[in-house]
Amino acid sequence: MAGKILRDHLDASRNIMRKLMANLVARAGQLPLAGKLLRRFARSYPEGSVVAIRCGRAKGLLWRRHHRYVNGYWVGVYELPLQETIHRELRPGQTFFDIGANAGFFTLVAALTVGPSGKCVAFEPLPENAESVREQVELNGLAHCHLVQEAVTNRSGLADFSFDTVGDSQAHIGSSGNSIQVRATTLD
């Protein structure tokens, strides 16, 4: 009984420290000089290098760095409130759909939460982004995660998919800017 209370206390303390550290790094990145120094440090890693995610809900997982994506992924501070929501709302054994998975960061966050008895399905139509999702999942041996290289829309078939740059998280169905044809599916 005392051992369980101690473990619960230690887990709670670790969670508080994880949140504090992640928030500190995220806020430091927003300061002009500190942010510039942090970005310079981040660019010192070679393209394609593998690092351990440093904090947040994906802490400890491996991440293959690509300069086209935000550094907040491999640092672990990207969208902390969303990370916490995923962790709070999902349970082991559940299924998570990451629609517009981009580089696959939230797929990793959800994969830890649902565990090997759950399932994560990452939908990403852009070939470069889909390759990143595939790399992140394979790098971490997450057999319960699956990539579907298709857009999710209201009908199956081909669709024009527009984006500004590779790694763009604001891409959409329709033709404007850079556009490619992608396969589309529904969740039904």
Side-chain angles (χ1 to χ4, degrees), residues 134-154:
R134 187 177 290 108
E135 287 174 339
Q136 310 310 344
V137 167
E138 289 175 1
L139 193 58
N140 289 287
L142 300 171
H144 61 293
C145 295
H146 307 282
L147 171 65
V148 177
Q149 194 172 333
E150 297 180 325
V152 175
T153 68
N154 61 348

Side-chain angles (χ1 to χ4, degrees), residues 13-179:
S13 296
R14 282 188 198 112
N15 284 337
I16 290 169
M17 290 304 296
R18 178 186 301 134
K19 288 178 188 176
L20 286 172
M21 186 60 151
N23 280 319
L24 178 64
V25 171
R27 291 187 192 280
Q30 295 171 352
L31 298 172
L33 182 58
K36 189 174 185 177
L37 291 172
L38 287 171
R39 283 185 287 283
R40 178 179 287 165
F41 170 73
R43 284 190 303 272
S44 71
Y45 283 85
E47 174 73 14
S49 60
V50 176
V51 295
I53 296 174
R54 297 173 186 253
C55 52
R57 287 293 170 183
K59 181 179 181 179
L61 289 180
L62 298 177
W63 184 262
R64 183 172 308 278
R65 295 187 74 257
H66 295 287
H67 295 298
R68 65 184 178 262
Y69 300 116
V70 298
N71 293 316
Y73 291 154
W74 68 272
V75 177
V77 298
Y78 186 73
E79 302 237 7
L80 288 168
L82 185 52
Q83 289 185 51
E84 290 303 318
T85 299
I86 289 169
H87 181 74
R88 182 180 64 248
E89 298 296 326
L90 284 177
R91 298 286 175 261
Q94 289 185 321
T95 298
F96 178 80
F97 292 134
D98 190 353
I99 299 172
N102 196 275
F105 180 73
F106 291 118
T107 300
L108 297 185
V109 171
L112 284 179
T113 304
V114 301
S117 64
K119 186 176 179 180
C120 290
V121 182
F123 294 90
E124 179 50 58
L126 289 177
E128 296 87 354
N129 290 351
E131 182 57 31
S132 178
V133 175
R134 187 177 290 108
E135 287 174 339
Q136 310 310 344
V137 167
E138 289 175 1
L139 193 58
N140 289 287
L142 300 171
H144 61 293
C145 295
H146 307 282
L147 171 65
V148 177
Q149 194 172 333
E150 297 180 325
V152 175
T153 68
N154 61 348
R155 63 188 189 313
S156 295
L158 293 177
D160 287 327
F161 194 77
S162 297
F163 56 96
D164 289 331
T165 60
V166 173
D168 183 5
S169 62
Q170 302 300 314
H172 61 278
I173 296 295
S175 56
S176 66
N178 296 321
S179 185

